[in-house]
Amino acid sequence: MNLLVIIFSGIAILYLIVTGWITKKLSKFKFSKQKLNLEDELTNFSLLVSFRNEADRLPYLLQSISEIDYSLDKFEIILVDDHSSDMSRTEMNDLVNKFNVNIHLFHLSDVGLSTKKHAVKYGVNQASGEYILTTDADCILPIGILKAHHLQIIDQQPDLIAGAVSFIKKNTFLSQFQYYDFMAIQAVSMSCMIQGQPIANNAAHMSFKRSAFLESDPYKKNLNIASGDDVFLLEKFIQMKLKIRYLEFSEVVLSASQESFSALINQRKRWFLKSKHVKNRTAKRLGLILFLGQLNMIFGFILLFFLNQIELIFSFYIIAKFVIDYRLLNEFSKKFHLGFCAKELLLFYIVYPFSLFIFIFAVLNKDYSWKSRQFKF
C-alpha cells in the first residue's frame, strides 16, 4: 500500500478511536440529583471579575448576578478594573450602586499593577469567601450557579470545580462557527475531566478554594504571559495533586463570541500563546491528535486526485468522522439544553479544516491585540 495512504489511514483510525472514546465517556455522564438541605451551612463565595473596557457588557453581567438564587449574605462580588478607558470611576461607581448586592470595586491603577493575572491575584487577596468563583465581564450567569457549586462542595470538598461555558449563538456564520468550535472544546474538556484527566478549564466558569490558590501561587512563573490564568491555575493544582472535579449540575455560563474576523484571529493567537506554555502531556497529545484529524480531511481530499485506491477509505473517514463529531456535540448540547442544528454543524464541519490553515498563517505574524493592548509572542 502507498505510504501516503498508510499515513492517512493511521491518522484517521487514531482520530476516530480517540473521539469515539471521548463521546462514549461523555454520553455516560449523569448529573447529580442532590438537593439543597436547608440545615446545611451555605458556602461563602466571592465572585471575582477582572475587566477592562467592558462598559457595554458589565451591566448585563451584574444584572444576572443580582438574580442569582442564593443568600445575599453568603456571597460578595469582587470587581477588579484593569485600567479601563471607556468608563470613568464615577460611572463605574454609579453602575455598581444600581444593584442590591455586595460589590467591592478595585482599580489596578491604584496599586501599580496591570494585566489579568495580576487582577485575579489581587482580587483573590481582597476576597473574603472560602471559595472564589471566577467569570468574565462579557458573561451571563445562570440563576442556580452558586447553589450548584455549593452542593458539590459540601458533597466532595474539591479544590477546584470547572463548569460549562457556551458562546451565545447569533444568526451569522461567524457566530455559528465560534459556537460549534467552542462547544467541541468544551465537550472534549468535560469528557477528559470526568475521567480524571483534566486538560483544560475556562475562567468564565470556575470555582476554587481560596486557601489552595494562595498556597499554590499559580502565577508565580508566568505573570509575563498575557493569557492563561485558567490553564496555569489548573496545571498548578494538578502538580500539587489537589482535588479537581467537573460541575455535576447543568448550569452553563453564556459568553459573548468575537464580533469580527480580526478579533477572532487575535483571540486564536492568544490561545496559541498560552498553549505553547502548557506542560500537560495529555493535553498536548490529545490536541495534536484532534488537530491532525482535521487536517487529514484536506490531506485525503488532495490524495483523491492522485490515488484512486483511497476513495473508499476517504469516504468512510469523512462519514465516520461526521457521525462521531455529531454525536459528541449533540450529547453536550442536550446535557446543557443548548441549541443544536445539524445543517449549521454540517457547514462548520466542511469549513473548519480549511480555517485551521488561516489560523496557522495568522500565527506567523506574532503581533496581536487584546483589550486595546498590543502584545507579541
Side-chain angles (χ1 to χ4, degrees), residues 12-24 316-331 340 345 349:
I13 292 170
L14 186 59
Y15 179 89
L16 295 176
I17 290 175
V18 170
T19 53
W21 175 84
I22 289 172
T23 303
K24 181 180 179 181
F316 171 78
Y317 178 57
I318 60 174
I319 294 173
K321 182 179 181 299
F322 180 76
V323 170
I324 293 176
D325 291 349
Y326 177 93
R327 281 198 59 208
L328 175 64
L329 298 189
N330 192 37
E331 281 289 344
F340 185 84
L345 180 62
Y349 179 76

Side-chain angles (χ1 to χ4, degrees), residues 8-9 11-13 15-16 19 293-302 304 310-327 345-346 349-350 353-354:
F8 172 83
S9 302
I11 294 174
I13 292 170
Y15 179 89
L16 295 176
T19 53
Q294 298 295 340
L295 294 187
N296 207 36
M297 290 183 64
I298 299 177
F299 181 44
F301 183 73
I302 294 173
L304 283 175
I310 202 174
E311 289 182 0
L312 184 61
I313 301 173
F314 180 70
S315 299
F316 171 78
Y317 178 57
I318 60 174
I319 294 173
K321 182 179 181 299
F322 180 76
V323 170
I324 293 176
D325 291 349
Y326 177 93
R327 281 198 59 208
L345 180 62
L346 180 59
Y349 179 76
I350 296 170
F354 297 94

Side-chain angles (χ1 to χ4, degrees), residues 14 18 188-189 192 197-200 231-232 234-235 238 271-293:
L14 186 59
V18 170
V188 171
S189 300
C192 291
Q197 293 288 333
I199 61 168
V231 172
F232 294 126
L234 177 65
E235 285 205 333
I238 294 173
W271 287 3
F272 175 77
L273 174 60
K274 67 180 180 182
S275 70
K276 286 175 56 179
H277 299 275
V278 169
K279 298 177 182 178
N280 188 321
R281 292 183 179 179
T282 301
K284 287 188 172 183
R285 290 167 182 164
L286 181 57
L288 179 61
I289 292 171
L290 298 180
F291 177 74
L292 292 177

Side-chain angles (χ1 to χ4, degrees), residues 162-185:
V165 183
S166 172
F167 282 151
I168 299 170
K169 181 162 68 79
K170 299 179 181 179
N171 193 29
T172 66
F173 173 73
L174 184 64
S175 173
Q176 292 166 6
F177 176 89
Q178 296 176 78
Y179 178 78
Y180 291 106
D181 179 34
F182 193 66
M183 183 183 291
I185 295 172

Side-chain angles (χ1 to χ4, degrees), residues 13 205 337:
I13 292 170
H205 187 186
H337 311 292

Side-chain angles (χ1 to χ4, degrees), residues 47 49 56-68 99 133-145 164-168 204-205 250-257 338:
L47 274 67
V49 183
D56 294 334
R57 292 168 170 168
L58 196 56
Y60 297 100
L61 169 67
L62 295 179
Q63 180 62 43
S64 70
I65 291 176
S66 69
E67 296 171 358
I68 288 177
F99 298 94
L133 189 143
T134 65
T135 193
D136 294 329
D138 59 353
C139 290
I140 303 296
L141 303 189
I143 190 172
I145 187 169
V165 183
S166 172
F167 282 151
I168 299 170
H205 187 186
S250 60
E251 270 62 31
V252 56
V253 169
L254 301 180
S255 179
S257 58
L338 299 171

Side-chain angles (χ1 to χ4, degrees), residues 69-278:
D69 182 17
Y70 206 71
S71 178
L72 288 176
D73 63 342
K74 290 296 182 178
F75 74 97
E76 63 179 356
I77 297 96
I78 304 292
L79 298 179
V80 184
D81 165 39
D82 183 10
H83 300 260
S84 293
S85 57
D86 62 347
M87 278 192 296
S88 68
R89 293 198 177 193
T90 300
E91 290 172 323
M92 289 184 195
N93 289 328
D94 290 343
L95 174 62
V96 165
N97 291 333
K98 289 181 180 180
F99 298 94
N100 186 30
V101 285
N102 184 19
I103 302 178
H104 305 285
L105 175 61
F106 301 95
H107 304 275
L108 284 189
S109 57
D110 292 343
V111 290
L113 299 173
S114 65
T115 73
K116 188 174 182 181
K117 291 195 194 71
H118 280 294
V120 173
K121 189 173 181 179
Y122 183 77
V124 171
N125 280 296
Q126 301 304 316
S128 61
E130 180 186 359
Y131 276 80
I132 308 294
L133 189 143
T134 65
T135 193
D136 294 329
D138 59 353
C139 290
I140 303 296
L141 303 189
I143 190 172
I145 187 169
L146 290 184
K147 188 181 295 183
H149 281 258
H150 161 71
L151 288 172
Q152 192 151 338
I153 287 169
I154 61 172
D155 182 49
Q156 301 175 4
Q157 293 80 49
D159 295 292
L160 184 148
I161 300 175
V165 183
S166 172
F167 282 151
I168 299 170
K169 181 162 68 79
K170 299 179 181 179
N171 193 29
T172 66
F173 173 73
L174 184 64
S175 173
Q176 292 166 6
F177 176 89
Q178 296 176 78
Y179 178 78
Y180 291 106
D181 179 34
F182 193 66
M183 183 183 291
I185 295 172
Q186 285 284 298
V188 171
S189 300
M190 177 183 177
S191 182
C192 291
M193 189 168 289
I194 61 180
Q195 294 305 310
Q197 293 288 333
I199 61 168
N201 60 329
N202 195 296
H205 187 186
M206 170 179 69
S207 68
F208 53 84
K209 191 178 291 184
R210 180 175 180 269
S211 59
F213 181 96
L214 296 174
E215 181 183 350
S216 65
D217 196 7
Y219 306 144
K220 184 177 181 179
K221 297 181 179 180
N222 50 62
L223 276 171
N224 61 315
I225 302 172
S227 186
D229 52 294
D230 43 17
V231 172
F232 294 126
L233 173 60
L234 177 65
E235 285 205 333
K236 190 65 176 182
F237 276 33
I238 294 173
Q239 180 185 335
M240 295 182 64
K241 300 186 182 337
L242 297 180
K243 196 172 185 179
I244 300 167
R245 295 291 183 269
Y246 198 87
L247 186 65
E248 297 176 359
F249 296 85
S250 60
E251 270 62 31
V252 56
V253 169
L254 301 180
S255 179
S257 58
Q258 301 302 314
E259 297 183 355
S260 68
F261 184 72
S262 60
L264 176 60
I265 291 294
N266 280 313
Q267 181 193 62
R268 296 312 163 95
K269 286 184 177 182
R270 182 165 55 87
W271 287 3
F272 175 77
L273 174 60
K274 67 180 180 182
S275 70
K276 286 175 56 179
H277 299 275
V278 169

